Amino acid sequence: MIKTIVIDDEPLARMIIMEYLKQHADIQIVAECGDGFEGAKAIQQHQPDLVFLDIQMPKLTGFEMLEIVDEMPNVIFTTAFDEFAIKAFEKNAIDYLLKPISKDRFEQGLAKFRNSHVSSSAPALSEQTSAKVAAITEEESLERIVVKNGTQIKIIPVQQVTFLEAYDDYVKIHTKDGVFLKNKTMSSFEKQLDPKQFVRVHRSFIAKVDQLAKIEPMEKESYIATLLTGEKINISKSGYARLKQIIGL
């Protein structure tokens, strides 16, 4: 049996997908969820073979939900918006179904899953599509960061971030409310955060410009910054040059 979860905030959309699924004897619907929080819990509990996932949902988007699950499931995205297609395939989506979803188009997506499930290989992006993905990702400005803190999920608006710090395979998100870990690279944050607000000042630090209180020189053309919170972060020579360009020194 193919264990399947349907995640969509629209009851009618969930009903249509489940009606299509019920016509397949080898598919078991183990959960239906109305938001990303429920979806993340259901994925953790049931370890599904396939997830039908809406993108634009309140509280937690489909993309944000995927960032907090421990293992990436096989996903077929379902959405009314075509502008997310490239980002969806960046997540190695099996397919991307536009609402309203016809029976024929649904069956095509399910067939793609069956084929990829047998071959155990995720769909590959063409070089042209990969280039578009990179361009779009770099153009997007991250507005909030979703972190998993034990069993709790926290959404942090970037306005609340004071600085970011590399920490092994994680990044420490420093805020006035505490420090949170995110399994993501500093480079990806550097690309997605607004470059007018956040500057990579050191290989281990990304500074938020409006949190800088004082910058003092250290040895070997390096610097140290004191933040409004009183915390201190290192600034390299190249990081100082980037910072001067942003703040107009």
Side-chain angles (χ1 to χ4, degrees):
M1 296 293 287
I2 299 171
K3 293 192 297 182
T4 306
I5 292 177
V6 180
I7 306 171
D8 198 307
D9 65 311
E10 300 175 19
L12 179 60
R14 295 199 305 271
M15 184 185 72
I16 291 172
I17 292 171
M18 289 190 294
E19 284 300 317
Y20 290 159
L21 288 171
K22 288 174 183 177
Q23 298 175 31
H24 296 267
D26 62 338
I27 289 180
Q28 178 188 10
I29 303 171
V30 295
E32 62 166 305
C33 307
D35 61 56
F37 290 103
E38 292 180 9
K41 292 178 182 177
I43 290 172
Q44 184 71 23
Q45 178 182 352
H46 296 286
Q47 298 294 301
D49 302 300
L50 177 62
V51 174
F52 287 86
L53 178 61
D54 189 17
I55 295 176
Q56 289 289 75
M57 295 184 291
K59 300 180 182 178
L60 203 65
T61 70
F63 291 133
E64 289 171 336
M65 189 211 74
L66 290 177
E67 288 189 10
I68 59 173
V69 297
D70 294 331
E71 293 187 18
M72 181 72 73
N74 292 296
V75 175
I76 293 179
F77 284 104
T78 59
T79 179
F81 305 94
D82 60 0
E83 62 263 34
F84 299 113
I86 293 177
K87 188 172 181 179
F89 284 107
E90 183 188 20
K91 300 289 186 183
N92 286 331
I94 298 294
D95 206 349
Y96 185 93
L97 305 181
L98 280 175
K99 300 175 182 176
I101 304 168
S102 69
K103 182 68 162 56
D104 288 345
R105 186 65 186 86
F106 179 87
E107 293 298 332
Q108 290 176 22
L110 195 56
K112 287 182 182 180
F113 164 73
R114 294 185 189 280
N115 291 336
S116 66
H117 202 54
V118 169
S119 63
S120 298
S121 60
L125 296 176
S126 67
E127 290 185 5
Q128 183 178 12
T129 303
S130 296
K132 289 180 180 178
V133 166
I136 286 179
T137 302
E138 290 182 7
E139 289 173 4
E140 291 179 342
S141 285
L142 198 63
E143 296 181 355
R144 59 188 197 173
I145 302 169
V146 180
V147 296
K148 190 174 181 182
N149 186 15
T151 59
Q152 300 296 314
I153 297 169
K154 183 174 178 61
I155 298 175
I156 306 170
V158 295
Q159 292 85 352
Q160 295 180 6
V161 175
T162 54
F163 70 99
L164 289 84
E165 179 183 6
Y167 185 73
D168 292 334
D169 294 332
Y170 292 82
V171 172
K172 284 185 177 180
I173 314 296
H174 290 259
T175 74
K176 294 177 182 178
D177 294 330
V179 181
F180 304 90
L181 284 177
K182 179 75 174 180
N183 189 2
K184 197 170 183 176
T185 66
M186 291 286 280
S187 295
S188 62
F189 273 118
E190 185 180 9
K191 291 175 182 176
Q192 287 188 282
L193 289 166
D194 184 348
K196 294 179 181 179
Q197 298 183 55
F198 293 88
V199 180
R200 182 78 175 266
V201 296
H202 188 274
R203 61 185 176 84
S204 297
F205 295 102
I206 294 177
K208 191 164 187 284
V209 175
D210 65 8
Q211 292 297 307
L212 296 171
K214 182 171 60 175
I215 300 175
E216 299 174 289
M218 291 181 66
E219 58 184 15
K220 296 182 180 179
E221 297 184 303
S222 62
Y223 302 81
I224 189 164
T226 303
L227 307 183
L228 295 176
T229 59
E231 296 166 293
K232 297 181 184 294
I233 61 175
N234 295 325
I235 300 179
S236 65
K237 179 182 178 181
S238 59
Y240 185 66
R242 284 192 293 270
L243 189 58
K244 284 203 302 181
Q245 185 176 9
I246 293 299
I247 62 180
L249 291 179

